[in-house]
Amino acid sequence: MNFKNLLFIVCLLGLVTALQFDIGQREEKCIYEEIEHDSLVTGDFELMEPILLHPELIIYNPQKQVIQKKQTNQPGKFAFHTDQTGDYHFCFSTKRPQPNLLQDTIQRISFNYKYGIAARDYEDIAKKEHLGPLEREIRKMQDQVLEIHTDIIYAKGREEAMRNTNESTNSRVMWFSILSILVLFTTGTLQVYYLKGFFKKRKII
């Protein structure tokens, strides 16, 4: 697989991506995203009408090894856990020729993926663990705090590795840590006020 044919990159501010794009015959289009190890990744895809081409979805890990292959003849889904940190590639390929079609034939694809907390189904978790609405929200907040903590540790690790080549990384990590702490403090404060109001309404306190 030659990743020099990578045609576009999606840069995200969050953990969820939804997009549509066109692909032609004998073409490959890839999206890549840096994802930390031990993260749940889920997604779905669908060919938009009119359906003229049937691209193949191939997912690669950071070592460029194939994780999954999916045919797109019908709407489908995928899910996997990452085993290492790095760039994961989602590639749609129409390199297999399809006869009786013009060379300039294109196919529109709807593609969505998410990872981390965004990929977790807390409704399903609540059912399996018999959690109430309040307990479910607390569980979600706990996971968010843990993810922020993991991000801070990861950022610090990268800062140590890059210190010799880029001293400016120190200040960036510092501001990132401060922002993360502020987010954590705000989340904790809101959680306290939410619980306080909830217990007052139920006349528990």
Side-chain angles (χ1 to χ4, degrees), residues 2-3 13 27 66 92 116 132 172:
N2 185 358
F3 285 94
L13 296 177
E27 190 175 10
V66 176
F92 288 87
R172 294 177 183 176

Side-chain angles (χ1 to χ4, degrees), residues 1-3 28 30-32 57-70 80-91:
M1 174 64 191
N2 185 358
F3 285 94
E28 181 177 75
C30 296
I31 306 157
Y32 73 77
L57 170 61
I58 309 174
I59 303 173
Y60 297 89
N61 67 11
Q63 303 300 321
K64 300 181 182 178
Q65 298 170 332
V66 176
I67 299 176
Q68 292 186 21
K69 283 187 177 183
K70 296 283 186 178
F80 63 91
H81 277 88
T82 59
D83 57 3
Q84 56 188 300
T85 298
D87 292 333
Y88 287 79
H89 294 72
F90 306 88
C91 297

Side-chain angles (χ1 to χ4, degrees), residues 12 15-17 31 33 42-43 78 90 111-115:
L12 305 177
L15 303 178
V16 183
T17 298
I31 306 157
E33 178 70 31
T42 64
F78 62 86
F90 306 88
F111 181 56
N112 309 285
Y113 71 91
K114 50 190 175 180
Y115 62 92

Side-chain angles (χ1 to χ4, degrees), residues 133-179:
L134 179 60
E135 294 172 315
R136 183 189 64 196
E137 291 303 316
I138 292 176
R139 172 68 177 274
K140 187 174 182 179
M141 289 180 181
Q142 289 175 336
D143 290 344
Q144 289 173 338
V145 170
L146 288 174
E147 188 159 78
I148 290 173
H149 179 66
T150 301
D151 288 341
I152 293 174
I153 294 175
Y154 176 65
K156 287 183 177 179
R158 291 194 64 178
E159 182 269 333
E160 291 176 0
M162 298 174 62
R163 183 175 298 167
N164 294 331
T165 57
N166 189 358
E167 291 297 330
S168 64
T169 303
N170 293 331
S171 60
R172 294 177 183 176
V173 172
M174 180 187 68
W175 286 111
F176 175 75
S177 299
I178 292 173
L179 178 60

Side-chain angles (χ1 to χ4, degrees), residues 35-105:
I35 306 175
E36 294 184 11
H37 76 283
D38 198 27
S39 295
L40 173 64
V41 183
T42 64
D44 60 81
F45 53 85
E46 182 179 3
L47 301 183
M48 310 301 291
E49 298 287 348
I51 299 176
L52 302 173
L53 300 173
H54 297 283
E56 183 179 43
L57 170 61
I58 309 174
I59 303 173
Y60 297 89
N61 67 11
Q63 303 300 321
K64 300 181 182 178
Q65 298 170 332
V66 176
I67 299 176
Q68 292 186 21
K69 283 187 177 183
K70 296 283 186 178
Q71 297 297 326
T72 60
N73 297 342
Q74 297 180 346
K77 298 181 179 182
F78 62 86
F80 63 91
H81 277 88
T82 59
D83 57 3
Q84 56 188 300
T85 298
D87 292 333
Y88 287 79
H89 294 72
F90 306 88
C91 297
F92 288 87
S93 173
T94 57
K95 290 186 175 180
R96 294 180 180 179
Q98 294 182 231
N100 303 322
L101 289 176
L102 298 176
Q103 185 63 34
D104 59 353
T105 299

